[in-house]
Coordinates of all heavy atoms in Angstrom, one line a residue:
V129 N 21.6 6.5 4.4 CA 21.0 7.1 3.2 C 22.0 8.1 2.7 O 22.7 8.7 3.5 CB 19.7 7.8 3.6 CG1 19.2 8.6 2.4 CG2 18.6 6.9 4.1
V130 N 22.2 8.1 1.4 CA 23.1 9.1 0.8 C 22.3 10.1 -0.1 O 21.1 9.9 -0.4 CB 24.1 8.3 -0.2 CG1 24.8 7.3 0.6 CG2 23.3 7.7 -1.4
A131 N 23.0 11.2 -0.3 CA 22.4 12.2 -1.3 C 23.6 12.7 -2.1 O 24.7 12.8 -1.5 CB 21.7 13.3 -0.5
F132 N 23.4 13.1 -3.3 CA 24.5 13.7 -4.0 C 23.9 14.8 -5.0 O 22.8 14.7 -5.3 CB 25.2 12.6 -4.8 CG 24.4 11.6 -5.6 CD1 24.0 11.9 -6.9 CD2 23.9 10.5 -5.1 CE1 23.1 11.1 -7.6 CE2 23.2 9.5 -5.8 CZ 22.7 9.8 -7.0
T133 N 24.9 15.6 -5.4 CA 24.5 16.7 -6.3 C 25.8 17.2 -7.1 O 26.9 16.8 -6.7 CB 23.9 17.9 -5.5 OG1 23.4 18.8 -6.5 CG2 24.9 18.5 -4.6
A134 N 25.6 17.9 -8.1 CA 26.6 18.5 -8.8 C 27.4 19.4 -7.8 O 26.9 20.1 -6.9 CB 26.1 19.4 -9.9
A135 N 28.7 19.3 -7.9 CA 29.6 20.0 -6.9 C 29.3 21.5 -6.9 O 29.5 22.2 -5.9 CB 31.1 19.8 -7.2
I136 N 28.9 22.1 -8.0 CA 28.5 23.5 -8.0 C 27.2 23.9 -7.5 O 26.8 25.1 -7.4 CB 28.7 24.1 -9.5 CG1 27.7 23.4 -10.5 CG2 30.2 23.9 -9.9 CD1 27.8 23.9 -11.9
N137 N 26.4 22.9 -7.1 CA 25.1 23.1 -6.5 C 25.1 23.3 -5.0 O 24.9 22.4 -4.2 CB 24.1 22.0 -6.9 CG 22.7 22.2 -6.5 OD1 22.4 23.2 -5.7 ND2 21.8 21.4 -6.9
H138 N 25.6 24.5 -4.5 CA 25.8 24.8 -3.1 C 24.5 24.8 -2.3 O 24.5 24.4 -1.2 CB 26.6 26.0 -3.0 CG 27.9 26.0 -3.7 ND1 28.9 25.2 -3.4 CD2 28.3 26.7 -4.8 CE1 29.9 25.4 -4.2 NE2 29.6 26.3 -5.1
A139 N 23.4 25.1 -2.9 CA 22.1 25.2 -2.3 C 21.7 23.7 -1.9 O 21.3 23.6 -0.7 CB 21.0 25.8 -3.1
S140 N 21.8 22.7 -2.7 CA 21.5 21.4 -2.4 C 22.4 20.9 -1.4 O 21.9 20.1 -0.5 CB 21.5 20.5 -3.7 OG 20.4 19.7 -3.6
A141 N 23.7 21.1 -1.4 CA 24.7 20.6 -0.5 C 24.3 21.2 0.9 O 24.4 20.6 1.9 CB 26.0 20.9 -0.9
A142 N 23.8 22.5 0.9 CA 23.4 23.1 2.2 C 22.3 22.4 2.9 O 22.3 22.2 4.1 CB 23.1 24.6 2.0
V143 N 21.3 21.9 2.0 CA 20.2 21.1 2.6 C 20.8 19.8 3.2 O 20.4 19.4 4.3 CB 19.1 20.8 1.6 CG1 18.1 19.9 2.0 CG2 18.5 22.1 1.1
M144 N 21.7 19.2 2.5 CA 22.2 17.9 3.0 C 22.9 18.2 4.4 O 22.8 17.4 5.4 CB 23.2 17.4 2.0 CG 22.6 16.9 0.7 SD 23.8 16.6 -0.5 CE 22.8 16.6 -2.1
Q145 N 23.6 19.3 4.5 CA 24.3 19.6 5.7 C 23.4 19.9 6.8 O 23.5 19.6 8.0 CB 25.3 20.8 5.5 CG 26.5 20.4 4.6 CD 27.2 21.6 4.0 OE1 26.9 22.7 4.4 NE2 28.1 21.3 3.0
R146 N 22.2 20.7 6.5 CA 21.2 21.0 7.5 C 20.6 19.7 8.1 O 20.1 19.6 9.2 CB 20.2 21.9 6.9 CG 20.5 23.3 7.0 CD 19.4 24.2 6.7 NE 18.8 24.1 5.4 CZ 19.3 24.7 4.3 NH1 20.3 25.5 4.4 NH2 18.7 24.5 3.1
L147 N 20.5 18.7 7.3 CA 20.0 17.4 7.6 C 21.0 16.5 8.5 O 20.6 15.5 9.0 CB 19.6 16.5 6.4 CG 18.4 17.2 5.6 CD1 18.3 16.5 4.2 CD2 17.1 17.0 6.4
G148 N 22.2 17.0 8.7 CA 23.1 16.3 9.4 C 23.9 15.3 8.6 O 24.7 14.6 9.1
M149 N 23.8 15.4 7.3 CA 24.5 14.5 6.4 C 26.0 15.0 6.4 O 26.3 16.2 6.5 CB 24.0 14.5 5.0 CG 22.5 14.0 5.0 SD 21.8 13.9 3.4 CE 22.2 12.1 3.1
Q150 N 27.0 14.1 6.2 CA 28.3 14.3 6.2 C 28.9 14.2 4.8 O 28.6 13.1 4.2 CB 29.1 13.4 7.2 CG 28.6 13.5 8.6 CD 28.9 14.9 9.2 OE1 29.9 15.4 9.1 NE2 27.9 15.5 9.9
Y151 N 29.8 15.0 4.4 CA 30.5 14.9 3.1 C 31.2 13.6 3.1 O 32.0 13.4 4.1 CB 31.4 16.2 2.9 CG 32.2 16.1 1.7 CD1 31.8 16.3 0.4 CD2 33.6 15.5 1.9 CE1 32.6 16.2 -0.7 CE2 34.4 15.4 0.7 CZ 34.0 15.7 -0.5 OH 34.8 15.6 -1.6
Q152 N 31.2 12.9 2.0 CA 31.9 11.6 1.9 C 33.1 11.7 0.9 O 34.2 11.4 1.1 CB 31.0 10.5 1.5 CG 29.8 10.2 2.5 CD 30.3 9.8 3.8 OE1 31.0 8.8 4.0 NE2 30.0 10.6 4.8
L153 N 32.7 12.1 -0.4 CA 33.7 12.1 -1.4 C 33.2 12.9 -2.6 O 32.0 13.3 -2.7 CB 34.0 10.7 -1.9 CG 32.9 9.7 -2.3 CD1 32.6 9.8 -3.8 CD2 33.3 8.3 -1.9
E154 N 34.1 13.2 -3.5 CA 33.8 13.7 -4.9 C 33.9 12.6 -5.9 O 34.7 11.8 -5.8 CB 34.7 14.8 -5.1 CG 34.4 15.7 -6.3 CD 35.4 16.9 -6.4 OE1 35.2 17.9 -5.7 OE2 36.3 16.8 -7.3
F155 N 33.0 12.6 -6.9 CA 33.0 11.6 -7.9 C 32.6 12.1 -9.2 O 31.8 13.1 -9.2 CB 32.2 10.4 -7.4 CG 30.7 10.6 -7.4 CD1 29.9 10.1 -8.4 CD2 30.0 11.2 -6.3 CE1 28.5 10.4 -8.4 CE2 28.7 11.4 -6.3 CZ 27.9 11.0 -7.3
A156 N 32.9 11.4 -10.3 CA 32.4 11.7 -11.6 C 31.1 11.1 -11.9 O 31.1 9.8 -11.8 CB 33.5 11.4 -12.6
H157 N 30.0 11.7 -12.1 CA 28.7 11.0 -12.4 C 28.8 10.3 -13.6 O 29.2 10.8 -14.7 CB 27.6 12.1 -12.5 CG 26.3 11.5 -12.3 ND1 25.8 10.6 -13.2 CD2 25.4 11.6 -11.3 CE1 24.5 10.3 -12.9 NE2 24.3 10.8 -11.7
P158 N 28.5 9.0 -13.5 CA 28.8 8.1 -14.7 C 27.8 8.4 -15.9 O 28.2 8.0 -17.1 CB 28.5 6.7 -14.2 CG 27.7 6.9 -13.0 CD 28.1 8.2 -12.4
A159 N 26.7 9.1 -15.7 CA 25.8 9.4 -16.8 C 26.2 10.7 -17.5 O 25.5 11.2 -18.5 CB 24.4 9.5 -16.3
L160 N 27.2 11.4 -17.0 CA 27.6 12.7 -17.6 C 29.0 12.6 -18.2 O 29.9 11.9 -17.7 CB 27.5 13.8 -16.5 CG 26.2 14.0 -15.9 CD1 26.3 14.9 -14.7 CD2 25.2 14.6 -16.9
T161 N 29.2 13.4 -19.3 CA 30.4 13.3 -20.0 C 31.4 14.2 -19.3 O 31.1 15.1 -18.6 CB 30.3 13.8 -21.5 OG1 29.8 15.1 -21.5 CG2 29.4 12.9 -22.2
A162 N 32.8 14.0 -19.6 CA 33.8 14.7 -18.9 C 33.8 16.2 -19.3 O 34.3 17.0 -18.4 CB 35.2 14.1 -19.3
D163 N 33.2 16.6 -20.4 CA 33.2 18.1 -20.7 C 32.0 18.8 -20.1 O 31.9 20.0 -20.2 CB 33.2 18.2 -22.2 CG 31.9 17.6 -22.9 OD1 31.2 16.8 -22.3 OD2 31.6 18.0 -24.0
S164 N 31.2 18.0 -19.3 CA 30.0 18.7 -18.6 C 30.5 19.3 -17.3 O 31.2 18.7 -16.5 CB 28.9 17.7 -18.3 OG 28.0 18.2 -17.5
I165 N 30.0 20.5 -17.1 CA 30.4 21.2 -15.8 C 29.6 20.5 -14.6 O 29.9 20.8 -13.5 CB 30.0 22.8 -15.8 CG1 28.6 23.0 -15.9 CG2 30.9 23.4 -16.8 CD1 28.1 24.4 -15.7
L166 N 28.7 19.7 -14.9 CA 27.9 19.0 -13.9 C 28.5 17.6 -13.6 O 28.0 16.9 -12.7 CB 26.5 18.9 -14.4 CG 25.7 20.1 -14.7 CD1 24.3 19.8 -15.3 CD2 25.6 21.0 -13.5
Q167 N 29.5 17.1 -14.3 CA 29.9 15.8 -14.0 C 30.6 15.6 -12.6 O 30.3 14.6 -12.0 CB 31.0 15.4 -15.1 CG 31.4 13.9 -14.9 CD 32.6 13.4 -15.7 OE1 33.6 14.1 -15.7 NE2 32.5 12.2 -16.2
K168 N 31.3 16.6 -12.1 CA 31.8 16.5 -10.8 C 30.7 16.7 -9.8 O 30.1 17.6 -9.7 CB 32.9 17.6 -10.6 CG 33.6 17.4 -9.3 CD 34.9 18.2 -9.2 CE 34.6 19.7 -9.1 NZ 35.8 20.6 -8.8
H169 N 30.5 15.5 -9.0 CA 29.4 15.5 -8.0 C 30.1 15.3 -6.6 O 31.2 14.9 -6.5 CB 28.5 14.3 -8.3 CG 27.4 14.6 -9.1 ND1 27.5 15.2 -10.4 CD2 26.0 14.4 -8.9 CE1 26.2 15.4 -10.9 NE2 25.4 14.9 -10.0
V170 N 29.3 15.7 -5.6 CA 29.7 15.4 -4.2 C 28.6 14.5 -3.5 O 27.4 14.6 -3.9 CB 29.8 16.8 -3.4 CG1 31.0 17.6 -3.8 CG2 28.5 17.6 -3.5
L171 N 29.1 13.6 -2.7 CA 28.3 12.6 -2.0 C 28.3 12.9 -0.6 O 29.3 13.2 0.1 CB 28.9 11.2 -2.3 CG 28.3 10.1 -1.5 CD1 26.9 9.8 -2.1 CD2 29.1 8.8 -1.5
Y172 N 27.1 12.9 0.0 CA 26.8 13.1 1.4 C 26.2 11.8 1.9 O 25.5 11.1 1.1 CB 26.0 14.3 1.7 CG 26.8 15.6 1.7 CD1 27.1 16.2 0.4 CD2 27.2 16.3 2.8 CE1 27.8 17.4 0.3 CE2 27.9 17.5 2.7 CZ 28.2 18.0 1.5 OH 28.8 19.2 1.4
A173 N 26.3 11.5 3.2 CA 25.7 10.4 3.8 C 25.3 10.7 5.2 O 25.9 11.5 5.9 CB 26.5 9.1 3.6
I174 N 24.3 9.9 5.7 CA 23.9 10.0 7.1 C 23.6 8.5 7.5 O 22.9 7.9 6.7 CB 22.9 11.0 7.3 CG1 22.6 11.1 8.9 CG2 21.5 10.6 6.6 CD1 21.7 12.3 9.3
K175 N 24.1 8.1 8.6 CA 23.8 6.8 9.2 C 22.6 7.0 10.2 O 22.3 8.1 10.7 CB 25.0 6.2 10.0 CG 26.1 6.0 9.1 CD 27.2 5.3 9.8 CE 28.4 5.0 8.9 NZ 28.2 4.4 7.7
H176 N 21.9 5.8 10.5 CA 20.7 5.9 11.3 C 21.1 6.5 12.6 O 20.4 7.3 13.2 CB 20.3 4.4 11.5 CG 19.0 4.3 12.3 ND1 19.1 3.7 13.6 CD2 17.8 4.8 12.1 CE1 17.8 3.8 14.1 NE2 17.1 4.4 13.2
T177 N 22.2 6.1 13.2 CA 22.7 6.6 14.6 C 22.9 8.1 14.5 O 22.5 8.8 15.5 CB 23.9 5.9 15.1 OG1 24.9 6.0 14.0 CG2 23.6 4.4 15.4
E178 N 23.4 8.6 13.4 CA 23.6 10.0 13.3 C 22.3 10.8 13.1 O 22.2 11.9 13.7 CB 24.6 10.4 12.1 CG 25.9 9.8 12.2 CD 26.7 9.8 10.9 OE1 26.0 9.8 9.8 OE2 27.9 9.7 11.0
F179 N 21.4 10.3 12.4 CA 20.1 10.9 12.3 C 19.3 11.0 13.6 O 18.8 12.0 13.8 CB 19.3 10.1 11.2 CG 17.9 10.6 11.0 CD1 17.6 11.8 10.3 CD2 16.8 9.9 11.5 CE1 16.3 12.3 10.2 CE2 15.5 10.5 11.4 CZ 15.3 11.6 10.7
R180 N 19.4 10.0 14.3 CA 18.7 10.0 15.6 C 19.2 11.1 16.5 O 18.4 11.8 17.2 CB 18.7 8.7 16.3 CG 18.1 7.6 15.5 CD 18.1 6.4 16.3 NE 17.0 6.5 17.1 CZ 16.3 5.6 17.6 NH1 16.6 4.3 17.5 NH2 15.3 5.8 18.5
S181 N 20.4 11.4 16.5 CA 21.0 12.4 17.3 C 20.8 13.8 16.7 O 21.1 14.7 17.5 CB 22.5 12.2 17.6 OG 23.2 12.2 16.4

Side-chain angles (χ1 to χ4, degrees):
V129 173
V130 302
F132 49 85
T133 189
I136 60 174
N137 186 350
H138 302 293
S140 218
V143 172
M144 296 170 198
Q145 293 163 9
R146 277 193 296 278
L147 292 165
M149 301 184 93
Q150 301 296 314
Y151 172 83
Q152 302 296 301
L153 57 89
E154 190 175 281
F155 68 99
H157 196 292
L160 299 169
T161 60
D163 62 341
S164 170
I165 63 167
L166 302 175
Q167 188 192 40
K168 186 165 72 170
H169 270 55
V170 290
L171 175 72
Y172 282 76
I174 188 168
K175 295 187 182 310
H176 182 247
T177 52
E178 296 165 341
F179 175 73
R180 298 187 78 157
S181 64

